[in-house]
Amino acid sequence: MPKRNKGAYLKWIKARNCWYILWYEHGRERKKSTGTRNRIEADQALTKHNVEKDQPVDIVSSTKRNIADVLAAYADEQAVHVVSRVTIGFNIKSLIPFWGHRPVSDVRPVLCREYLKYRKELARKEGKTASDGTISRELGVLSAAIRHDYKQGRLALPIPVWKPAPSTPKDRWLTREEVVRLLKTARARQRPNAKKGGKRMHSFSRWHLSFFILMALYTAARKEALLTLQWSQVDLERGIIDLNKAGEKITNKRRAIVPIPRRLMTFLRIAKSRASENCADKYVINYYGRPVLRIDQSFRRVVADAGLKDVTPHTLRHTAATWMAQAGVPLWVIAKYLGHSSSRTTERVYAHHNPSFLMEAKEALERRPEMRKLVSSSNLGKPTL
């Protein structure tokens, strides 16, 4: 029999023919059934119990394996094959200082909440902000790394990771007037003339920036998908763009294959004519033939010059989806266009923009004779002010 200071443990109850979790609370023995005869499932139930009770998870392999090794293995074996590998890399970089030296058994809700405070305080010192959504994604990477390690047989059990509740999605989208203002500013920006001592301004054009804005609005693609898009993925004859890069591992965040709108086709043909003859492996959005690695800084300057606020490259994707919803496009079609694996996210974010959302259900209720009879027989009378 384990000592009382060992925490919760498993015991086979022959009369019940299943595993039970036993622990001591306020000096009294407590127990509850795992509901299973399988020892592996019972171990998982014990781990979940310890996490809920905020108790250390007593697993030898988890105690000895550092989280830094878990994250490194996940980055080398899994993350390098997905389209969001750059984002995952930034998330791992944020996780390492706090979690790297700790064993996996330390992953408990109380320490995850400490990480939430740590990240917010660190961002404040750097003059930045870290939202709950950002920190939740970072902890999601930690959870994915632990699950990957478990599947590879390096951990005895997958340990759940506490994450803050998701924040309300931003509803910032651009009107057509704002888009026109943004494009005009991107096509003819101004900067100080170094030869004139920085006082006089002269205009210059950023074709790649205005082209990026058009591509984002017409394809509703993410920034990373557009900046890595190559001409081999664009079929001008068939009129489609395959946003999935050849050789990439297919995940739940699979990118969409979208048709090319007529107006975007004109700009694509212009861009193709400017490229070299052998441009199959060249990037569609480029700066004098070189790939554009980052566009955020120049985009922020254009947004400021256009007098807009709270606009990021992702706002363009959100704007495209919002315009489709406002035009009455079915939400499941919008989900396919955005590359969502299910329409639940699309409904949560864009349903209130769709004028026909739930209208069929409302009209069905209005058509029901039982409802009309119920209202007429309720003798409610006329409404009074």
Side-chain angles (χ1 to χ4, degrees):
M1 175 71 68
K3 295 181 180 180
R4 295 189 178 187
N5 60 359
K6 287 289 186 180
Y9 59 96
L10 289 173
K11 184 178 180 181
W12 175 262
I13 306 296
K14 190 174 181 179
R16 300 288 184 178
N17 197 27
C18 72
W19 290 97
Y20 269 69
I21 301 174
L22 278 73
W23 76 99
Y24 286 89
E25 190 172 323
H26 303 298
R28 296 180 58 185
E29 186 183 64
R30 306 281 185 176
K31 67 178 180 179
K32 69 176 180 180
S33 173
T34 63
T36 181
R37 292 180 292 177
N38 187 297
R39 179 56 191 262
I40 296 178
E41 294 177 357
D43 285 335
Q44 293 174 348
L46 176 62
T47 301
K48 184 178 180 181
H49 167 83
N50 286 333
V51 170
E52 292 173 350
K53 293 291 184 180
D54 203 19
Q55 297 294 323
V57 181
D58 189 17
I59 307 172
V60 175
S61 59
S62 298
T63 304
K64 291 182 178 180
R65 188 157 173 79
N66 282 354
I67 294 177
D69 297 331
V70 173
L71 293 172
Y74 177 70
D76 294 337
E77 300 169 3
Q78 180 71 17
V80 293
H81 302 295
V82 300
V83 295
S84 56
R85 54 181 173 270
V86 176
T87 303
I88 293 175
F90 283 121
N91 291 333
I92 291 177
K93 185 178 179 181
S94 299
L95 290 166
I96 287 294
F98 184 89
W99 293 102
H101 63 284
R102 303 176 188 272
V104 179
S105 58
D106 278 0
V107 179
R108 291 179 287 159
V110 62
L111 207 57
C112 291
R113 293 186 182 94
E114 286 296 323
Y115 176 73
L116 179 68
K117 296 178 183 178
Y118 159 81
R119 281 288 287 115
K120 286 183 176 292
E121 180 63 21
L122 182 63
R124 186 188 64 80
K125 290 180 179 179
E126 296 176 351
K128 302 177 183 179
T129 57
S131 65
D132 287 358
T134 299
I135 300 171
S136 178
R137 286 190 290 272
E138 292 172 0
L139 290 172
V141 170
L142 175 61
S143 178
I146 293 175
R147 289 197 305 271
H148 174 76
D149 234 43
Y150 167 70
K151 291 178 181 178
Q152 298 301 317
R154 292 187 285 261
L155 289 178
L157 294 172
I159 297 178
V161 178
W162 175 90
K163 292 179 288 187
S167 56
T168 304
K170 293 182 179 180
D171 198 29
R172 177 67 167 106
W173 53 277
L174 300 175
T175 63
R176 282 165 173 79
E177 291 76 12
E178 289 176 323
V179 168
V180 171
R181 197 192 321 167
L182 188 65
L183 283 171
K184 285 183 177 179
T185 307
R187 287 171 181 167
R189 282 198 51 216
Q190 290 186 329
R191 65 182 178 186
N193 192 332
K195 296 182 179 180
K196 301 296 182 180
K199 294 181 180 180
R200 296 185 61 182
M201 310 290 287
H202 73 281
S203 298
F204 70 103
S205 178
R206 291 283 181 102
W207 159 262
H208 74 283
L209 190 56
S210 57
F211 189 37
F212 169 81
I213 295 172
L214 287 171
M215 288 285 290
L217 287 171
Y218 279 117
T219 64
R222 294 182 177 89
K223 175 185 65 177
E224 293 79 9
L226 293 176
L227 295 183
T228 58
L229 183 68
Q230 299 183 12
W231 283 113
S232 58
Q233 299 169 247
V234 180
D235 191 338
L236 297 178
E237 296 297 327
R238 297 169 56 198
I240 60 172
I241 298 176
D242 187 353
L243 295 169
N244 299 281
K245 193 173 181 179
E248 293 284 2
K249 186 176 181 179
I250 298 176
T251 64
N252 290 334
K253 289 188 176 181
R254 176 176 172 82
R255 296 170 179 174
I257 300 175
V258 298
I260 302 176
R262 178 171 50 85
R263 292 183 179 178
L264 180 60
M265 178 69 78
T266 302
F267 290 97
L268 282 171
R269 292 189 185 280
I270 294 173
K272 186 71 174 291
S273 65
R274 293 183 175 184
S276 60
E277 295 182 1
N278 185 21
C279 61
D281 58 343
K282 302 297 182 181
Y283 292 95
V284 176
I285 299 176
N286 62 81
Y287 185 70
Y288 294 105
R290 295 175 296 176
V292 180
L293 302 179
R294 293 184 180 179
I295 206 166
D296 298 83
Q297 186 174 0
S298 57
F299 188 85
R300 281 196 299 267
R301 290 174 180 171
V302 168
V303 169
D305 292 344
L308 303 176
K309 294 182 179 180
D310 300 326
V311 178
T312 65
H314 192 77
T315 306
L316 302 175
R317 172 178 166 89
H318 185 58
T319 297
T322 301
W323 286 0
M324 286 188 278
Q326 291 173 342
V329 178
L331 294 175
W332 68 269
V333 177
I334 299 176
K336 293 294 184 182
Y337 207 95
L338 295 176
H340 290 167
S341 56
S342 75
S343 61
R344 288 181 296 179
T345 303
T346 313
E347 292 176 2
R348 180 171 61 89
V349 179
Y350 302 106
H352 64 287
H353 289 293
N354 195 317
S356 62
F357 183 65
L358 299 181
M359 288 297 292
E360 293 182 2
K362 179 184 78 70
E363 293 171 359
L365 288 174
E366 291 175 345
R367 290 194 300 266
R368 295 287 294 179
E370 294 86 352
M371 292 297 293
R372 292 198 298 268
K373 187 182 296 184
L374 177 63
V375 173
S376 60
S377 62
S378 60
N379 198 19
L380 295 175
K382 294 182 178 181
T384 58
L385 297 177

